[in-house]
Amino acid sequence: LSGREGVLSFLKENDGFLISTHVNPDGDALGSAIALQLALNELGKRSTVFVSGGVPAIYSFLPRTEIVIDRVDQDEASDLLLILLDCNSPARASLEGLAFARSAVIDHHETESDFGDARWVDPRVPATGMMVLEAIKALGVKISKEMAVNLYTAIAVDTGTFRYSNTNADTFRAAAELLDAGAEPGMISDSLYNTWNRNRFSLLCMNLSTIETRGAVSLSVVSDEMFKNSSTGHPDTESFVNYPLLMSDILVSACFRETGKDAWKVSLRSKGELNMAKVAERFGGGGHKNAAGYSFNGDLDTARQALLKSLGDLFNL
Amino acid sequence: LSGREGVLSFLKENDGFLISTHVNPDGDALGSAIALQLALNELGKRSTVFVSGGVPAIYSFLPRTEIVIDRVDQDEASDLLLILLDCNSPARASLEGLAFARSAVIDHHETESDFGDARWVDPRVPATGMMVLEAIKALGVKISKEMAVNLYTAIAVDTGTFRYSNTNADTFRAAAELLDAGAEPGMISDSLYNTWNRNRFSLLCMNLSTIETRGAVSLSVVSDEMFKNSSTGHPDTESFVNYPLLMSDILVSACFRETGKDAWKVSLRSKGELNMAKVAERFGGGGHKNAAGYSFNGDLDTARQALLKSLGDLFNL
């Protein structure tokens, strides 16, 4: 058995799971993992959620984050069945050194590998949370309020609260079910979006003041000095790169964050069909069509020129 | 017959309608009006959409906006049946001088009057578009793609694309139906949110640089000089007042826009239960709980102090 049925059999027929997901987990990763653990628990099955680096502070509003552990060793792994969610290779979860008894994958990303004794990978689905919702129902477990908040958050984050073009009618039907089960959209949206501290807001204003445009491309910077002046850090820059896309004639937005002497993290966002993953891959990074990133060593001007050249080569931008 | 059934009878048993909605129409107002006109047309009934001031440029992406007229006179009105949508008094639609043969109201705002031979007013419903969707289905009309885009926009705008706490499971079920009928969430969200020109974006950056906070209150300014320096106008400030609410400890955001010598328009936004309509009413304005506004004559400092005093009096802010 492979695909959806293979993974469902894997869950039904076994016990003693380690559920994991990618490092720097987003709402889809965490919400999917916690909801699946709660469902397996309902079935009387033992399972644990492992996330390398633990739960980011922004997601502490999710119910039951306290079940997440951030350490696992080979002694434990040997007896456990691994379930990878929202990624499809152990390296993405910082688990590449460990050997598990068996493994399964539930993911909506393009395949990176053929890892997994059972694999259900479907890039057409907007969020892994939708697949986990389907799995939980197929296992005969009633969706609890705690599962609902986790799964609603998963879907909300990966569809930009239903604004991205990946949103489909099934997404809305899933959301309706999760509201029936107790998820509150207003509370979850506030928790996701309206929780900045003032320093982070100051940093945004600094970042916006650096925007320069080259045709349809916006370039902005967050320098080490800005981080210091505002007492902020890299996680505070989350979503900054999206703001220039408010402008109708900006098709690509790039944000350069200083990580050290002549060292930058570059976040890319695009509208429509412009594939940022292809750009990021040229620099050793990766991502999705409309959201990708990479690291760059060199001074800021060299970093900007290199990106503009790639955008010119690939898209005539 | 009153309520929903009364309005449905009004639509079924009559012909020759004028559909109208409030001045400065938003997506719920326009989308509801155009969709209902298209549905009545499917039934072979004559109807026209009147909007005082016409269709704002930001909504020109809606299908069939060309059917909207911005003039109507008493000669025509005498023979027409008025359908007021998303408001419940003729004054809100700039129709207070005209006498119509009969009238009906479909609205989700608190009642301002008892206007209408048939009235279906339900403040629990997040968007008038949801009531119009229900009416169109009850009339036996199949939802076309053009109706779906209009109604999806109506619902999206009045729920903050499903982020506000008024969003409920029925909202998502309606959205799923509208996607099945052809509405595209990505296109509609881009049309609503990502259509700023560069001048407007510059104005936002100027506005954000003026933010000052007093406890949980954010105060910001758009001066006449900023409008001139960025070649922008008052409609460009739409949504600026929301940005400070990204900060978790900001509960009220006020934006002061200069309209002339010592003359200001003040927009208020709040989180939770803080009722901005009560504040605006003190200054002769009005609005909803979380969004209201008023005009003020005086210099900026006087305007700011007067507002802070009111917020102190009403909420101990």
Side-chain angles (χ1 to χ4, degrees):
Chain A
L1 278 176
S2 67
R4 179 181 177 281
E5 297 312 311
V7 168
L8 288 175
S9 299
F10 183 92
L11 297 173
K12 278 180 198 162
E13 293 162 12
N14 293 298
D15 196 1
F17 300 97
L18 187 80
I19 301 168
S20 189
T21 187
H22 55 81
V23 294
N24 298 320
D26 58 8
D28 192 24
L30 283 172
S32 296
I34 296 171
L36 183 58
Q37 198 279 341
L38 296 174
L40 291 172
N41 203 44
E42 283 297 305
L43 292 170
K45 292 177 185 281
R46 288 164 295 123
S47 66
T48 310
V49 177
F50 163 79
V51 178
S52 176
V55 176
I58 181 187
Y59 290 114
S60 57
F61 76 91
L62 289 175
R64 306 296 290 275
T65 51
E66 71 276 8
I67 66 172
V68 176
I69 61 169
D70 61 359
R71 284 192 63 88
V72 62
D73 62 36
Q74 183 58 59
D75 276 0
E76 300 164 297
S78 306
D79 293 328
L80 291 169
L81 294 111
L82 176 64
I83 308 170
L84 270 187
L85 297 179
D86 201 42
C87 63
N88 54 63
S89 77
R92 290 278 294 130
S94 274
L95 286 171
E96 60 271 45
L98 299 181
F100 291 87
R102 288 179 66 212
S103 59
V105 170
I106 304 177
D107 189 21
H108 72 129
H109 290 88
E110 296 287 342
T111 268
E112 301 166 38
S113 68
D114 59 357
F115 178 82
D117 300 300
R119 289 171 58 78
W120 179 22
V121 178
D122 189 347
R124 295 165 304 177
V125 180
T128 299
M130 288 177 65
M131 302 167 81
V132 171
L133 171 62
E134 194 179 328
I136 293 174
K137 291 194 293 179
L139 291 170
V141 176
K142 185 170 180 292
I143 304 294
S144 68
K145 179 170 177 173
E146 290 181 332
M147 294 177 208
V149 173
N150 275 288
L151 293 174
Y152 184 93
T153 302
I155 295 170
V157 165
D158 265 23
T159 62
T161 42
F162 313 100
R163 290 185 183 183
Y164 301 159
S165 58
N166 61 359
T167 306
N168 58 36
D170 287 339
T171 316
F172 284 122
R173 280 187 270 267
E177 277 186 69
L178 296 170
L179 261 61
D180 286 336
E184 294 167 53
M187 181 283 282
I188 293 170
S189 298
D190 275 345
S191 300
L192 287 173
Y193 302 118
N194 299 331
T195 57
W196 296 29
N197 63 29
R198 295 188 185 195
N199 292 340
R200 182 178 175 188
F201 196 81
S202 299
L203 188 69
L204 171 68
C205 294
M206 294 179 202
N207 170 244
L208 295 180
S209 73
T210 68
I211 290 174
E212 288 181 37
T213 57
R214 297 280 187 281
V217 182
S218 165
L219 304 167
S220 77
V221 182
V222 184
S223 67
D224 196 49
E225 193 184 354
M226 292 179 196
F227 283 125
K228 282 180 184 144
N229 287 343
S230 58
S231 306
T232 53
H234 285 267
D236 291 303
T237 62
E238 174 75 35
S239 87
F240 286 12
V241 65
N242 295 322
Y243 286 87
L245 297 180
L246 286 170
M247 291 183 269
S248 57
D249 58 350
I250 294 297
L251 302 178
V252 171
S253 170
C255 179
F256 295 79
R257 289 179 284 133
E258 195 168 7
T259 53
K261 168 77 180 150
D262 287 339
W264 302 88
K265 284 244 186 205
V266 186
S267 299
L268 300 173
R269 296 292 183 276
S270 69
K271 289 176 182 162
E273 294 306 309
L274 297 170
N275 193 334
M276 293 301 105
K278 287 194 179 170
V279 182
E281 280 162 18
R282 284 198 166 195
F283 296 100
H288 297 279
K289 184 175 73 177
N290 297 126
Y294 62 93
S295 299
F296 189 89
N297 289 314
D299 64 26
L300 179 59
D301 198 54
T302 307
R304 289 158 50 114
Q305 293 308 322
L307 173 61
L308 289 169
K309 183 172 185 314
S310 283
L311 292 170
D313 290 349
L314 286 165
F315 313 115
N316 285 318
L317 278 178
Chain B
L1 278 178
S2 67
R4 179 180 176 281
E5 296 313 311
V7 168
L8 288 175
S9 299
F10 183 92
L11 297 174
K12 279 179 194 160
E13 293 162 13
N14 294 298
D15 196 2
F17 300 96
L18 187 79
I19 301 167
S20 189
T21 187
H22 56 81
V23 295
N24 298 320
D26 59 9
D28 191 25
L30 283 171
S32 296
I34 296 171
L36 184 58
Q37 198 279 341
L38 297 175
L40 292 171
N41 202 43
E42 283 297 305
L43 292 170
K45 293 176 184 284
R46 288 164 294 124
S47 66
T48 310
V49 177
F50 162 79
V51 178
S52 176
V55 176
I58 182 188
Y59 289 115
S60 57
F61 76 91
L62 289 174
R64 305 296 290 274
T65 52
E66 71 277 7
I67 66 172
V68 176
I69 61 169
D70 62 0
R71 285 192 63 89
V72 60
D73 61 36
Q74 184 57 60
D75 276 1
E76 300 164 295
S78 307
D79 294 329
L80 291 170
L81 294 111
L82 176 65
I83 308 170
L84 270 188
L85 298 179
D86 201 42
C87 63
N88 54 62
S89 78
R92 290 280 293 130
S94 275
L95 287 171
E96 60 270 45
L98 300 181
F100 291 88
R102 287 179 69 215
S103 60
V105 171
I106 304 177
D107 188 21
H108 72 130
H109 290 89
E110 295 288 340
T111 268
E112 300 166 39
S113 69
D114 59 357
F115 178 82
D117 300 300
R119 289 170 60 77
W120 179 22
V121 178
D122 189 346
R124 295 165 305 179
V125 180
T128 299
M130 287 177 66
M131 302 168 81
V132 171
L133 171 62
E134 193 179 328
I136 293 173
K137 290 193 294 179
L139 292 170
V141 176
K142 186 172 179 293
I143 305 293
S144 67
K145 179 170 178 171
E146 290 181 334
M147 294 176 209
V149 174
N150 275 287
L151 292 174
Y152 184 93
T153 302
I155 295 169
V157 164
D158 265 23
T159 61
T161 41
F162 314 99
R163 290 184 184 184
Y164 301 160
S165 58
N166 61 0
T167 306
N168 58 36
D170 287 340
T171 316
F172 284 122
R173 280 186 270 267
E177 277 187 68
L178 295 169
L179 261 61
D180 286 336
E184 293 167 56
M187 181 282 283
I188 293 171
S189 299
D190 275 346
S191 301
L192 287 173
Y193 303 117
N194 300 331
T195 57
W196 296 30
N197 62 30
R198 295 189 186 196
N199 292 340
R200 183 177 175 191
F201 196 81
S202 299
L203 188 69
L204 171 67
C205 293
M206 293 180 204
N207 171 244
L208 295 181
S209 73
T210 70
I211 290 174
E212 288 181 37
T213 58
R214 296 281 186 281
V217 181
S218 165
L219 304 165
S220 76
V221 181
V222 185
S223 67
D224 197 48
E225 194 184 353
M226 291 180 197
F227 283 125
K228 281 181 183 142
N229 286 343
S230 59
S231 306
T232 52
H234 284 268
D236 291 304
T237 62
E238 173 76 33
S239 88
F240 285 12
V241 66
N242 295 321
Y243 285 87
L245 297 180
L246 286 170
M247 290 183 271
S248 57
D249 59 348
I250 294 297
L251 302 178
V252 172
S253 170
C255 179
F256 295 79
R257 289 178 282 132
E258 195 167 9
T259 53
K261 167 76 179 150
D262 286 339
W264 302 88
K265 285 243 187 207
V266 186
S267 300
L268 300 173
R269 296 291 183 277
S270 69
K271 290 178 183 162
E273 294 307 311
L274 296 171
N275 192 333
M276 293 300 106
K278 287 194 179 170
V279 182
E281 278 162 19
R282 284 199 165 193
F283 296 101
H288 297 278
K289 184 175 73 176
N290 296 125
Y294 62 93
S295 299
F296 188 90
N297 290 315
D299 63 28
L300 179 58
D301 198 51
T302 308
R304 290 158 49 116
Q305 293 307 324
L307 173 61
L308 289 169
K309 185 173 183 316
S310 283
L311 292 170
D313 291 350
L314 286 165
F315 312 115
N316 285 316
L317 278 178

